[in-house]
Amino acid sequence: AAVARQTETRVVLADSERDLQILNSALPMGPPLPRNLPPERRAAEKKAIETNEPTLSGMFLGPAMNQLLVTLIMPMQTPRENNTSYVLAVVIPSEKLANILAANQIPPEWVVGVVDGNGVTVARSENSQETVGTKAYESFAPLRDATEGAQVSAARDGRIFRWSWQRSEHTGWIISVGV
């Protein structure tokens, strides 16, 4: 529980096949608990197991924490059974990502945003509380499949920016900077 408080994250070990949470860094040790995973979290876990690669979920509302979250999921192979039914998940509140942006001294006339693979705003350098968890502004809609680019368009408040962005090939997430 101390690690969870210090890092503002949760680390969870789960048995995906039996749908049980075995360990949660925010809870005292005890028997495995049943899980109630939102669809975005479940889809990311399925992808991690199928590809046997770490996967980053889209943003979702965590039922236990009642917070907007993203999860980095790492499949774990059991040595004896040689299958992947266990996953190690690092659960990250969106507020933590917004704090990382805030700590980077972004000039006030710039806007930096992070959008997940589903087009949902995960973090933003300004008006974060109003925009996180909502769909990215529609002017980005025609660019859903682009891997990188630049354009001139309005922000949500109507200000005109020159936007530049890059999409991660692995996660589908986009980081954009408006100047």
Side-chain angles (χ1 to χ4, degrees):
V3 170
R5 281 191 304 276
Q6 289 173 357
T7 63
E8 301 171 12
T9 62
R10 306 287 184 265
V11 177
V12 175
L13 177 64
D15 182 337
S16 184
E17 195 171 286
R18 295 186 301 155
D19 207 19
L20 293 173
Q21 180 176 274
I22 297 167
L23 174 75
N24 183 326
S25 65
L27 301 173
M29 291 293 290
L33 300 171
R35 301 185 305 160
N36 179 22
L37 298 178
E40 299 86 350
R41 170 66 176 78
R42 193 169 294 281
E45 186 170 301
K46 182 179 180 198
K47 179 181 176 188
I49 290 170
E50 287 173 355
T51 62
N52 202 30
E53 292 184 1
T55 302
L56 194 57
S57 76
M59 177 163 288
F60 61 92
L61 182 63
M65 297 172 70
N66 199 30
Q67 286 181 287
L68 291 171
L69 308 167
V70 296
T71 305
L72 175 61
I73 303 159
M74 291 148 289
M76 311 291 289
Q77 285 198 337
T78 54
R80 282 178 261 167
E81 299 164 18
N82 199 25
N83 70 359
T84 307
S85 65
Y86 292 94
V87 293
L88 187 64
V90 179
V91 183
I92 308 162
S94 64
E95 189 175 296
K96 174 90 173 160
L97 300 172
N99 292 343
I100 291 169
L101 283 181
N104 278 291
Q105 300 176 351
I106 296 164
E109 64 275 8
W110 291 20
V111 176
V112 177
V114 179
V115 176
D116 73 13
N118 299 319
V120 176
T121 303
V122 175
R124 198 162 187 260
S125 61
E126 69 172 30
N127 301 327
S128 188
Q129 296 209 349
E130 293 86 26
T131 57
V132 168
T134 64
K135 284 286 189 180
Y137 194 58
E138 284 304 311
S139 63
F140 258 43
L143 312 169
R144 275 188 267 252
D145 298 324
T147 56
E148 62 183 37
Q151 75 178 50
V152 175
S153 66
R156 292 177 190 238
D157 62 7
R159 292 178 295 159
I160 302 296
F161 284 93
R162 291 184 187 280
W163 294 98
S164 179
W165 74 91
Q166 176 78 43
R167 179 187 310 272
S168 164
E169 287 181 35
H170 186 72
T171 66
W173 283 37
I174 296 171
I175 185 155
S176 64
V177 179
V179 180

